[in-house]
């Protein structure tokens, strides 16, 4: 679906700072690994922006504008802000379920999950999770929606009935978590307990907990499914830890830009993308057991929310309003 979005070349703006790969000379001209194609304004959105989700059929991007108590709905085809869903309570996580055409919005302020009909985004329900509803993941194969919430819980909802069917107890509030399609396990970042918890999806029970040792603030996570590795981004120190999915053994660690909040694997190109609040996107290349940073791309201060959409072969970076920069979605095309 390389050409699904026809982004105008005229929308190209800003310079990309590319770091030479290991073994290259500093004077060698490197090919840009990410090409900035468009900047879509988010209108009057102010404050912190959190997670994003996509409705591929309608080419709509849902952006949790936490500081604005709203969800911005972006029309990717027309490259414009379509509308805003307001009167929310610090929305953090968003997830879209194609099978039921339902948008889930998790709210930190009141612990609720608000449900909206995909066709017209009218409200169709509300689920109370107690407090601090955060990351949302959709398990399309199992027909489940998973949400991290409270001081230590992973709530599992039935997508068809929209009812709670299980809650997994954790020691502290979960941040990013990822579903392993090969083994049925869930890997969960639990920064306040300095751990990565492992949950069995079938039994909805925690089956292991891996200590992060001296590494702290593990918010972002991605899975390298092909190599069965769990990639965890730490803020203290700023580095990416590569763990064996089988037993949690640390394989390697790589320095990264600071204040990472999202991480994604590009399986097509054997790359990892990391978005950092200090104003960069790092690109790591994967070669066997080695991960190395091959690009350090200047973005905007506070722009730490990223979504990679393999079906569109695009990265969406949420940029908050800060200084002279207006809030917007910056769209990057990976190359080659």
């Amino acid at each position: 679906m390389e050409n699904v979005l026809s982004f105008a070349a005229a929308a190209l703006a800003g310079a990309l700072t590319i770091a030479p790969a290991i073994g290259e000379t500093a004077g060698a001209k490197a090919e840009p690994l990410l090409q900035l194609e468009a900047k879509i304004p988010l209108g009057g959105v102010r404050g912190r922006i959190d997670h994003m989700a996509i409705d591929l059929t309608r080419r709509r991007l849902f952006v949790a504008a936490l500081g604005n108590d709203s969800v911005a709905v972006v029309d990717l085809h027309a490259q414009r802000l379509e509308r805003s869903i307001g009167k929310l309570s610090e929305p953090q996580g968003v997830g879209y379920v194609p099978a039921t055409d339902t948008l889930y919005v998790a709210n930190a302020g009141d612990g609720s999950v608000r449900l909206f009909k995909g066709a017209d985004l009218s409200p169709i329900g509300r689920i109370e999770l107690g407090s601090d509803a955060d990351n949302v993941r959709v398990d399309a194969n199992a027909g489940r929606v998973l949400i991290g919430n409270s001081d230590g819980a992973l709530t599992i909802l039935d997508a068809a009935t929209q009812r709670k069917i299980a809650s997994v107890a954790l020691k502290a509030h979960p941040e990013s978590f990822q579903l392993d399609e090969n083994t049925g396990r869930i890997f969960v970042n639990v920064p306040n307990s300095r751990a990565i918890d492992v949950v069995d999806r079938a039994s909805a029970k925690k089956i292991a907990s891996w200590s992060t040792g001296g590494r702290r603030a593990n918010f972002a996570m991605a899975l390298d499914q092909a190599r069965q590795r769990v990639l965890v981004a730490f803020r203290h120190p700023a580095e990416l830890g590569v763990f064996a999915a089988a037993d949690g053994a640390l394989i390697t660690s790589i320095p990264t830009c600071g204040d990472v909040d999202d991480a994604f694997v590009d399986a097509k190109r054997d790359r990892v993308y990391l978005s950092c609040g200090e104003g960069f996107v790092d690109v790591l290349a994967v070669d066997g057991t080695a991960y190395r940073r091959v690009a350090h791309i200047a973005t905007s201060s506070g722009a730490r929310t990223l979504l990679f959409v393999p079906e569109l072969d695009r990265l969406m970076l949420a940029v908050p309003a800060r200084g002279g920069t207006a809030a917007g979605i910056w769209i990057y095309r990976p190359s080659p």
Side-chain angles (χ1 to χ4, degrees), residues 4-93:
V4 169
L5 297 182
S6 55
F7 295 115
L12 177 62
L16 304 187
T17 303
I18 305 297
I22 295 172
E24 289 184 347
T25 63
K29 185 175 178 60
E31 179 185 4
L33 299 183
L34 294 178
Q35 188 74 39
L36 180 58
E37 288 191 327
K39 293 182 177 182
I40 304 175
L42 288 180
V45 167
R46 296 288 183 270
R48 178 180 155 197
I49 298 175
D50 219 326
H51 304 293
M52 296 185 283
I54 193 162
D55 171 0
L56 281 170
T57 300
R58 299 183 180 92
R59 299 293 184 266
R60 293 187 305 188
L61 183 70
F62 302 109
V63 184
L66 182 150
N68 215 52
D69 286 331
S70 66
V71 168
V73 183
V74 176
D75 182 332
L76 293 174
H77 182 73
Q79 296 184 30
R80 65 178 180 86
L81 178 66
E82 178 182 300
R83 59 172 295 180
S84 181
I85 303 172
K87 297 183 179 179
L88 300 172
S89 182
E90 298 179 14
Q92 293 190 107

Side-chain angles (χ1 to χ4, degrees), residues 4 80 143 150 160 171-172 224 265 317 328:
V4 169
R80 65 178 180 86
S150 73
K171 286 186 178 180
D224 185 342
V265 170
L317 181 71

Side-chain angles (χ1 to χ4, degrees), residues 1-335:
M1 300 178 68
E2 172 71 25
N3 296 318
V4 169
L5 297 182
S6 55
F7 295 115
L12 177 62
L16 304 187
T17 303
I18 305 297
I22 295 172
E24 289 184 347
T25 63
K29 185 175 178 60
E31 179 185 4
L33 299 183
L34 294 178
Q35 188 74 39
L36 180 58
E37 288 191 327
K39 293 182 177 182
I40 304 175
L42 288 180
V45 167
R46 296 288 183 270
R48 178 180 155 197
I49 298 175
D50 219 326
H51 304 293
M52 296 185 283
I54 193 162
D55 171 0
L56 281 170
T57 300
R58 299 183 180 92
R59 299 293 184 266
R60 293 187 305 188
L61 183 70
F62 302 109
V63 184
L66 182 150
N68 215 52
D69 286 331
S70 66
V71 168
V73 183
V74 176
D75 182 332
L76 293 174
H77 182 73
Q79 296 184 30
R80 65 178 180 86
L81 178 66
E82 178 182 300
R83 59 172 295 180
S84 181
I85 303 172
K87 297 183 179 179
L88 300 172
S89 182
E90 298 179 14
Q92 293 190 107
V94 284
Y96 174 72
V97 181
T100 60
D101 195 20
T102 304
L103 173 67
Y104 287 71
V105 180
N107 294 268
D110 60 11
S112 71
V113 179
R114 316 280 181 93
L115 279 61
F116 299 88
K117 186 178 179 180
D120 58 7
L121 297 176
S122 58
I124 56 174
R126 176 175 174 143
I127 302 167
E128 303 297 339
L129 295 187
S131 65
D132 201 4
D134 198 342
N135 281 273
V136 178
R137 296 284 181 269
V138 176
D139 184 350
N141 292 333
R144 301 285 185 263
V145 178
L146 297 88
I147 302 170
N149 63 282
S150 73
D151 291 333
L154 193 63
T155 297
I156 303 175
L157 309 175
D158 184 292
T161 65
Q162 298 169 353
R163 296 179 181 274
K164 289 187 280 187
I165 58 176
S167 182
V168 182
L170 305 169
K171 286 186 178 180
H173 180 74
E175 289 295 336
S176 181
F177 61 91
Q178 301 295 332
L179 315 180
D180 187 345
E181 299 302 330
N182 296 330
T183 66
R185 292 175 299 171
I186 308 169
F187 299 99
V188 188
N189 270 335
V190 190
N192 286 344
S193 65
R194 297 194 185 184
I196 302 161
D197 285 348
V198 184
V199 173
D200 177 69
R201 262 189 282 182
S203 63
K205 302 289 185 183
K206 185 173 76 172
I207 58 175
S209 186
W210 307 336
S211 172
T212 61
R215 297 173 175 84
R216 297 181 292 113
N218 49 315
F219 288 88
M221 175 190 287
L223 294 185
D224 185 342
Q225 293 277 185
R227 297 170 180 83
Q228 275 295 283
R229 295 170 186 169
V230 183
L231 312 181
V232 176
F234 297 92
R235 295 180 184 173
H236 306 291
E239 64 180 30
L240 181 73
V242 180
F243 297 85
D247 57 9
L250 179 66
I251 296 171
T252 188
S253 62
I254 307 96
T256 69
C257 48
D259 195 23
V260 175
D261 204 49
D262 272 318
F264 289 91
V265 170
D266 182 345
K268 174 183 174 182
R269 298 177 178 86
D270 270 339
R271 291 181 190 163
V272 181
Y273 304 118
L274 303 166
S275 53
C276 300
E278 70 173 9
F280 293 93
V281 168
D282 273 357
V283 181
L284 278 62
V286 189
D287 182 12
T289 60
Y291 294 72
R292 59 192 178 97
R293 186 165 69 176
V294 292
H296 184 59
I297 300 168
T299 57
S300 181
S301 177
R304 63 184 193 179
T305 298
L306 187 71
L307 180 67
F308 176 54
V309 184
E311 295 87 350
L312 303 180
D313 203 26
R314 296 295 187 275
L315 287 92
M316 319 290 176
L317 181 71
V319 175
R322 186 171 292 188
T325 302
I329 300 299
W330 295 9
I331 301 178
Y332 291 87
R333 175 179 57 82
S335 64

